[in-house]
Amino acid sequence: MALRAAVLHHFRITVQTLTLNGSKQQLWSLRFMSSHDDHVSKEEVTERVLSVVKSFPKVDPAQVTPEVHFQKDLRLDSLDNVEIVMALEEEFKLEIPDKEADKIDSCNLAIEYMSNHPMAS
C-alpha cells in the first residue's frame, strides 16, 4: 500500500476520450511530479517533532530541544520511546518500519528521519 501511494504521488495519468469525425480516440497525458512538491521543510519538521515530544505527558517541555535524547536527557523508558515514535507517525501521517523506529531515540534522529522521508506530510 505504501509503495502504491509513493508511485501515485510521483505520477499523474490523465485519460480523455475525444470524438473526431465520429470516431472516438483516447488522449493520454502523463505528468511527473517531484517528491518535493508538497514535502515539508526541515524547519517545519523540527517544529512539529518538538511539539509532539513536548506534548508527551512524562516530558518537561522546557527540557525539549532538537538535540535532546529521549532516554538520557528526558529519562524516558523504551516504552515511552515507542509511544513517541507512534505519535510522530500520526503527526506526519506515515508508518515507520520497526527496524527504523528502533533507531529513533532522540529529537535529532526523528527530525532527520522525517525530513528525509518522501511521504512525510
Side-chain angles (χ1 to χ4, degrees), residues 38-48 92 114-115:
D38 59 352
H39 193 71
V40 291
S41 68
K42 190 163 185 175
E43 293 78 24
E44 184 182 347
V45 169
T46 301
E47 182 180 310
R48 289 169 63 187
F92 289 91
M114 297 303 173
S115 61

Side-chain angles (χ1 to χ4, degrees), residues 47-82:
E47 182 180 310
R48 289 169 63 187
V49 167
L50 295 179
S51 176
V52 167
V53 176
K54 286 178 181 180
S55 67
F56 193 71
K58 297 180 182 179
V59 170
D60 175 10
Q63 293 183 327
V64 178
T65 66
E67 294 79 27
V68 75
H69 190 275
F70 299 149
Q71 293 175 340
K72 293 176 186 172
D73 300 325
L74 299 177
R75 307 278 190 255
L76 299 176
D77 61 26
S78 58
L79 182 57
D80 296 329
N81 200 59
V82 169

Side-chain angles (χ1 to χ4, degrees), residues 6-12 31-39 118-119:
V7 169
L8 292 177
H9 180 74
H10 294 285
F11 297 102
R12 182 166 293 150
R31 184 176 128 197
F32 294 95
M33 299 171 64
S34 168
S35 64
H36 300 290
D37 286 348
D38 59 352
H39 193 71
M119 297 301 291

Side-chain angles (χ1 to χ4, degrees), residues 5 8 17-18 28-30 37 39-40 42 55 59 61-62 66-67 78 84 86-87 94 103 105 115-116 121:
L8 292 177
T17 303
L18 179 68
W28 294 74
S29 71
L30 179 63
D37 286 348
H39 193 71
V40 291
K42 190 163 185 175
S55 67
V59 170
E67 294 79 27
S78 58
I84 287 177
M86 289 172 55
L94 56 86
K103 297 175 188 175
D105 60 1
S115 61
N116 292 325
S121 60

